[in-house]
Amino acid sequence: MKKMQDRLLNDLKGKNIRLSHQRLKVVEYLCQNHIHPTVDQIYLSLKNSIPTLSKTTVYNILKTLVEAGLVKVITIDNNESRYDINTQMHGHLKCEKCGRIFDFNIQFISFSNDELKNFEISEKNVYFTGVCPKCIENTSQDYRS
Amino acid sequence: MKKMQDRLLNDLKGKNIRLSHQRLKVVEYLCQNHIHPTVDQIYLSLKNSIPTLSKTTVYNILKTLVEAGLVKVITIDNNESRYDINTQMHGHLKCEKCGRIFDFNIQFISFSNDELKNFEISEKNVYFTGVCPKCIENTSQDYRS
DNA sequence: AAAAGGAATTGGAATAATTACAATATTGTA
DNA sequence: TACAATATTGTAATTATTCCAATTCCTTTT
């Protein structure tokens, strides 16, 4: 966890992106909270330690991190963006009950597709929706009453 | 094409959803324009034939169609929703240059995943981004000058 | 055919996410 | 330390979407 953070900060330094206090905190937050947070979640959480923090700043920082390739935008909701420090290819499942987003691995080979052979593919996203084990359990309990 | 429209209208009748003029037109639009349109695209296009049309109505109708399972929401953009009458499982690729969205088939088998064996999966979405053949061609032409 | 009741449409206002922008503050370097 | 470049901040603007109350349109009943 700590290692990832150091790698990210090194990457930023390498790209001549200043390690301002705010940026450090956002990176730290993303490394410590693998919850695919929204801008608002990040903002609200950091506002405690940085009272002057502006939401615009959070937007700016995330934009910088995304452009630097250190963070990926998740478009599983179409009303608000979520952010993921895990930039390796993986799938996301959003639980319809609790709203949490879970990661899962994907086998790449499966995507080779003749229809797309003349396309240049830059990004592959896999989004599932469903119900997580915990919420399945809770739902079944409801039926007992 | 016409067949699909008739099937959709029959489905609506079966679910006791009135075939109002506006609804007929929206269904007709979706059947004739497989461009994964936004609400705005639908609204602007239909406003010509239905001058009194309200954008709220388009939102309402689409909500009804989605709830009836006749239309699917595409969340490939996270700033605005797109709608697809093709409810069969398929992937979407959005061209970064021209913005068009292309359909492609997916092999289902590939998604069986141990990590998700305790989840209830209700929907699977696959979104790629990249560049379409036409735009690849246009870009290469630019370099000649 | 008229009346009544329910459903759909409309438009304007409210909400929420995001962006634009100008002023201020911070940082790195000479 | 001083300068220039970059980052942050707050407010205002923009955009997509939802809310809601008034009106209109169907459908059914009388």
Side-chain angles (χ1 to χ4, degrees):
Chain A
M1 215 104 306
K2 195 71 188 150
K3 251 190 262 172
M4 180 197 292
Q5 196 173 323
D6 291 343
R7 183 179 54 72
L8 288 174
L9 296 180
N10 257 326
D11 272 18
L12 287 173
K13 259 188 259 180
K15 297 189 181 186
N16 281 324
I17 295 170
R18 286 185 190 165
L19 305 184
S20 70
H21 182 52
Q22 287 82 339
R23 284 181 181 159
L24 286 171
K25 285 295 185 180
V26 169
V27 169
E28 188 185 278
Y29 179 88
L30 289 170
C31 289
Q32 291 178 355
N33 303 84
H34 290 204
I35 58 172
H36 316 87
T38 62
V39 163
D40 218 55
Q41 282 179 298
I42 301 169
Y43 171 71
L44 289 175
S45 173
L46 295 183
K47 194 145 184 56
N48 297 322
S49 51
I50 317 170
T52 64
L53 185 66
S54 160
K55 206 181 271 189
T56 302
T57 301
V58 181
Y59 276 105
N60 289 339
I61 292 174
L62 288 168
K63 196 183 172 203
T64 303
L65 294 176
V66 169
E67 282 171 0
L70 305 186
V71 166
K72 280 190 72 179
V73 185
I74 301 177
T75 49
I76 201 166
D77 288 314
N78 49 5
N79 52 331
E80 60 184 352
S81 296
R82 293 176 166 276
Y83 298 87
D84 196 348
I85 10 111
N86 182 355
T87 53
Q88 303 214 305
M89 170 64 171
H90 63 284
H92 291 116
L93 182 146
K94 180 171 187 180
C95 174
E96 292 152 4
K97 304 280 180 190
C98 65
R100 277 187 299 171
I101 294 176
F102 300 84
D103 292 335
F104 61 91
N105 291 318
I106 312 169
Q107 300 91 318
F108 266 105
I109 327 100
S110 50
F111 287 132
S112 49
N113 194 314
D114 265 8
E115 288 174 275
L116 298 177
K117 66 172 185 290
N118 294 321
F119 286 72
E120 227 168 60
I121 296 170
S122 52
E123 225 173 299
K124 298 177 179 186
N125 299 300
V126 178
Y127 300 138
F128 289 6
T129 53
V131 186
C132 75
K134 206 161 261 174
C135 286
I136 291 175
E137 205 182 314
N138 290 344
T139 306
S140 66
Q141 281 176 351
D142 290 345
Y143 285 119
R144 286 190 211 157
S145 60
Chain B
M1 214 103 307
K2 196 70 187 151
K3 252 191 260 171
M4 179 197 293
Q5 195 171 325
D6 291 342
R7 184 179 53 73
L8 288 175
L9 296 180
N10 257 325
D11 272 18
L12 288 175
K13 259 188 261 180
K15 298 188 181 188
N16 280 323
I17 296 170
R18 285 187 192 163
L19 305 183
S20 71
H21 183 54
Q22 287 84 338
R23 285 182 180 157
L24 286 171
K25 284 295 184 180
V26 168
V27 168
E28 187 185 278
Y29 179 89
L30 289 170
C31 289
Q32 289 178 356
N33 303 84
H34 290 203
I35 57 171
H36 316 86
T38 63
V39 163
D40 219 55
Q41 282 179 297
I42 300 170
Y43 170 71
L44 290 175
S45 173
L46 295 184
K47 195 146 183 56
N48 298 321
S49 51
I50 317 172
T52 64
L53 185 66
S54 160
K55 205 182 269 188
T56 303
T57 300
V58 180
Y59 276 104
N60 289 339
I61 292 174
L62 288 168
K63 196 182 172 205
T64 303
L65 295 176
V66 169
E67 282 171 358
L70 305 185
V71 165
K72 280 189 71 179
V73 184
I74 302 177
T75 49
I76 200 165
D77 288 315
N78 49 5
N79 52 332
E80 61 184 351
S81 297
R82 294 176 165 275
Y83 298 86
D84 195 348
I85 10 113
N86 182 354
T87 53
Q88 303 215 304
M89 170 65 171
H90 63 284
H92 291 116
L93 183 147
K94 180 171 186 179
C95 174
E96 290 151 5
K97 304 280 180 191
C98 65
R100 276 185 299 170
I101 294 176
F102 299 84
D103 292 334
F104 61 91
N105 291 319
I106 312 169
Q107 300 91 318
F108 267 105
I109 329 100
S110 50
F111 287 132
S112 48
N113 194 313
D114 265 7
E115 288 175 276
L116 298 179
K117 68 171 181 292
N118 294 320
F119 286 72
E120 224 167 61
I121 297 170
S122 52
E123 226 173 298
K124 299 177 178 185
N125 299 299
V126 178
Y127 301 138
F128 288 6
T129 53
V131 186
C132 75
K134 206 161 259 175
C135 286
I136 292 174
E137 206 182 313
N138 290 343
T139 306
S140 66
Q141 282 177 352
D142 290 345
Y143 286 118
R144 288 191 210 154
S145 59

